[in-house]
Amino acid sequence: MLKLNLGVYYMYENIIVIPFRNRDEHLDYFIKNTVPLFQEYLPNTKVVVVEQNEGKLFNRGAILNVAFKEYENKTKYFFTHDVDMNPTEKCIKELYTRETTKTDVLGIYTSCCNTLGGIIKIRDNVIQMINGFPNDVWGWGTEDKALQNRAEYYNIKKITNLTNNKEYPEYLLRFNDVDDRETRNVSQNINKHFHNFQRLNKEQKKKEIMSSGLNNVRYTIVERRMIHDIVELIKVDVHP
C-alpha cells in the first residue's frame, strides 16, 4: 500500500479507467501495446475497463462514475482514458508521471473546446469533491463539458497539454473514433451543459452539480474479472 502525508493509505497510485463497448480490436491493441508501458513506467497502477451492457444508449459519464465509486479512497489518482488513444513511451514518461495538486487537473489529451474529455489525470479526492460526471448524458453528449463546469465551480484549474486540434505522433497513436453513442440527444445535452449551466447563479450551479453524479449513480455489476495481470473488466448495467 502507498502511504501519503497525514497517514493516508492507498491501494494504488493510479487507476486508469477505460469506458468501453464494442471496441474489441482497440482494447486488444491497448492491452498488447500500451499496458506494458504502464507496467514499466507507472508502478502500482491498475487499468479498469468498464463495459456498458447493450440495450441503452452509451453513457460515458455514468460508467466512468462506476469506477470512481468502486475505487473510491483506494487510489491516489484516476485517469479517464478512451480506448482508441495509445500514448507513446515519451508521452507516459513526460505527462502521465506528472504530479497534480488538490487544486488542479492534468489535461493530457483534451478537446481544444475547453472540456475535460479524452485523457485526464485527477486526484481521487478532487473527483469525489466535484461529484464526478452527471449520469444523465445518454448518447453522444457533453459529459466532458459538464465535468469542466464542475471543476471550474470548485476552482480546479485545468493544466492543458495536448489538444485534438493537431496530431502528436511522438506522443500519441489515435485510432479513428467509433460512433457508438448515437446523436439524438445532442441539442438537449449542449443546451444543458454548454449554455444553461453558465446562466445559473452559484447556488443553482451547486444544486445542479449535486443533482446527478457520484452521489447517486445507479448500476448493477453483471460481470467482474481480470483479463490481464493489471487489467480488470467490470461489465455493468447503468440505470436511469
Side-chain angles (χ1 to χ4, degrees):
M1 280 189 161
L2 174 70
K3 184 177 181 181
L4 301 177
N5 293 333
L6 304 179
V8 177
Y9 288 85
Y10 292 121
M11 187 177 300
Y12 299 101
E13 175 79 12
N14 310 294
I15 297 288
I16 297 174
V17 189
I18 299 177
F20 179 80
R21 186 164 72 179
N22 297 330
R23 300 201 188 183
D24 292 340
E25 182 179 356
H26 291 171
L27 182 59
D28 289 344
Y29 184 94
F30 191 92
I31 290 175
K32 182 179 179 180
N33 296 279
T34 301
V35 167
L37 295 176
F38 293 155
Q39 291 178 293
E40 183 172 0
Y41 296 107
L42 295 175
N44 199 23
T45 290
K46 185 173 187 176
V47 178
V48 178
V49 180
V50 186
E51 179 179 6
Q52 183 181 335
N53 252 359
E54 299 288 348
K56 300 183 182 76
L57 292 176
F58 194 65
N59 191 325
R60 180 177 180 272
I63 62 176
L64 285 167
N65 280 346
V66 170
F68 300 154
K69 199 72 177 175
E70 291 294 313
Y71 284 93
E72 182 178 2
N73 298 323
K74 296 178 181 178
T75 185
K76 182 179 179 182
Y77 293 111
F78 282 109
F79 289 75
T80 69
H81 207 300
D82 291 347
V83 73
D84 57 353
M85 300 177 185
N86 292 272
T88 64
E89 180 180 18
K90 175 182 176 69
C91 184
I92 292 172
K93 290 169 68 174
E94 290 186 11
L95 301 181
Y96 283 61
T97 57
R98 288 186 184 178
E99 293 286 319
T100 72
T101 73
K102 62 182 180 181
T103 60
D104 58 47
V105 54
L106 185 66
I108 294 175
Y109 181 84
T110 57
S111 170
C112 58
C113 299
N114 196 27
T115 71
L116 283 171
I119 307 171
I120 67 169
K121 181 179 183 179
I122 190 168
R123 286 179 178 256
D124 169 62
N125 63 321
V126 174
I127 200 68
Q128 305 298 333
M129 177 180 69
I130 68 178
N131 203 27
F133 290 89
N135 303 311
D136 59 354
V137 181
W138 299 89
W140 188 91
T142 54
E143 79 290 331
D144 52 354
K145 181 59 179 177
L147 192 71
Q148 176 79 7
N149 290 339
R150 294 173 180 217
E152 289 176 349
Y153 177 85
Y154 284 97
N155 297 314
I156 304 300
K157 178 185 177 183
K158 180 173 73 170
I159 302 172
T160 302
N161 287 279
L162 314 177
T163 61
N164 65 359
N165 62 338
K166 61 176 289 187
E167 296 296 322
Y168 303 90
E170 72 275 25
Y171 284 98
L172 204 68
L173 169 64
R174 184 181 181 189
F175 292 112
N176 290 331
D177 193 17
V178 177
D179 184 6
D180 60 356
R181 295 203 279 168
E182 299 189 24
T183 58
R184 64 189 182 196
N185 289 337
V186 172
S187 296
Q188 173 185 327
N189 293 337
I190 288 177
N191 285 336
K192 181 173 184 179
H193 297 297
F194 266 87
H195 305 306
N196 294 352
F197 185 84
Q198 302 304 327
R199 301 187 184 109
L200 302 177
N201 62 37
K202 187 173 182 179
E203 290 184 3
Q204 291 170 327
K205 286 180 178 178
K206 180 66 176 293
K207 183 177 180 180
E208 173 65 25
I209 290 169
M210 300 309 297
S211 70
S212 181
L214 281 173
N215 61 338
N216 57 13
V217 61
R218 298 177 60 246
Y219 59 94
T220 300
I221 295 179
V222 177
E223 180 183 5
R224 189 167 193 164
R225 59 190 173 91
M226 297 298 294
I227 58 175
H228 178 276
D229 291 346
I230 67 163
V231 183
E232 180 182 26
L233 174 71
I234 304 178
K235 190 169 185 177
V236 299
D237 185 20
V238 180
H239 308 305

